Amino acid sequence: LDEANPILDTELILPKARARVAVISPPLNPSGLAYALRRHRIEPWTLPLFIDNKMINSFTAGLLSFMIDGSRTVLIAGTRSSGKTSLLGSLMLEIMPKIRTLVIEDTLELPVDSLRKIGYNIQGMKVRSALLETTKEVEASEGIRTSLRLGDSALIVGEVRSDEAKALYEAMRVGAL
């Protein structure tokens, strides 16, 4: 984090906590540092937890589970901090554990490690954020195209912000889960 790289988007990992950290500094923010911390739940959200917390009703949970079981494409959209990542994490638990699942994220937020620990066949892929220009990471669109070469898998893309939308559409068009 310096004048040449005024954006920091990373993850803070502590023994019983995780948080996403976003920081901007001069020259992007002329008045100094600005930051945001978003704490993540250690254990993944589940559809029953969403129901218990009155975030969705049982009909909606059943419909979402039915769609995942039927290998349907699902798009989760909403405003910042509306629970999109939490809902996506809960839907990942609805995928059969034996199905190979590829998760593509620019910021690691989805419960890939937790699902792997309970027997899911899941592979995480870290790609470059559309917000950053200079990194050695692979672009999200290339990560999506690569995932298609890895054979039949359920494909989960954590964020769609830029050119990866076209690659994601192509993945859906060829029938990727």
Side-chain angles (χ1 to χ4, degrees):
L1 184 66
D2 56 22
E3 281 188 23
N5 301 294
I7 302 169
L8 174 66
D9 193 7
T10 190
E11 184 176 33
L12 179 64
I13 301 173
L14 301 169
K16 290 191 179 180
R18 287 180 38 231
R20 180 176 178 178
V21 180
V23 183
I24 59 172
S25 67
L28 183 59
N29 182 18
S31 61
L33 289 177
Y35 59 90
L37 300 171
R38 292 179 57 197
R39 186 177 62 88
H40 297 295
R41 185 178 165 85
I42 296 298
E43 297 298 319
W45 279 94
T46 63
L47 290 177
L49 277 174
F50 271 95
I51 294 168
D52 289 346
N53 285 285
K54 305 209 182 325
M55 297 159 85
I56 60 174
N57 61 31
S58 58
F59 175 80
T60 303
L63 179 61
L64 288 168
S65 181
F66 179 75
M67 290 171 63
I68 300 299
D69 189 50
S71 302
R72 301 295 177 238
T73 298
V74 177
L75 172 69
I76 300 171
T79 60
R80 287 177 291 185
S81 299
S82 62
K84 299 178 300 289
T85 302
S86 299
L87 179 60
L88 180 53
S90 72
L91 293 178
M92 290 169 66
L93 284 162
E94 297 299 307
I95 298 171
M96 296 296 289
K98 67 181 179 179
I99 293 176
R100 182 179 189 196
T101 304
L102 302 173
V103 179
I104 300 171
E105 299 179 272
D106 61 356
T107 302
L108 303 177
E109 297 179 301
L110 292 169
V112 172
D113 291 334
S114 296
L115 293 175
R116 191 177 297 118
K117 286 178 186 172
I118 60 173
Y120 276 72
N121 182 4
I122 191 164
Q123 172 67 52
M125 298 169 67
K126 174 126 175 43
V127 295
R128 175 176 32 203
S129 170
L131 304 175
L132 299 176
E133 294 293 322
T134 56
T135 95
K136 294 178 182 174
E137 295 171 336
V138 173
E139 289 183 14
S141 57
E142 185 60 29
I144 293 169
R145 283 187 204 94
T146 300
S147 72
L148 296 176
R149 291 184 211 114
L150 295 175
D152 280 345
S153 306
L155 176 61
I156 297 172
V157 180
E159 299 270 353
V160 178
R161 295 188 181 115
S162 188
D163 294 336
E164 64 270 16
K166 184 177 177 182
L168 183 58
Y169 172 76
E170 289 298 318
M172 291 186 291
R173 191 179 64 78
V174 299
L177 278 163

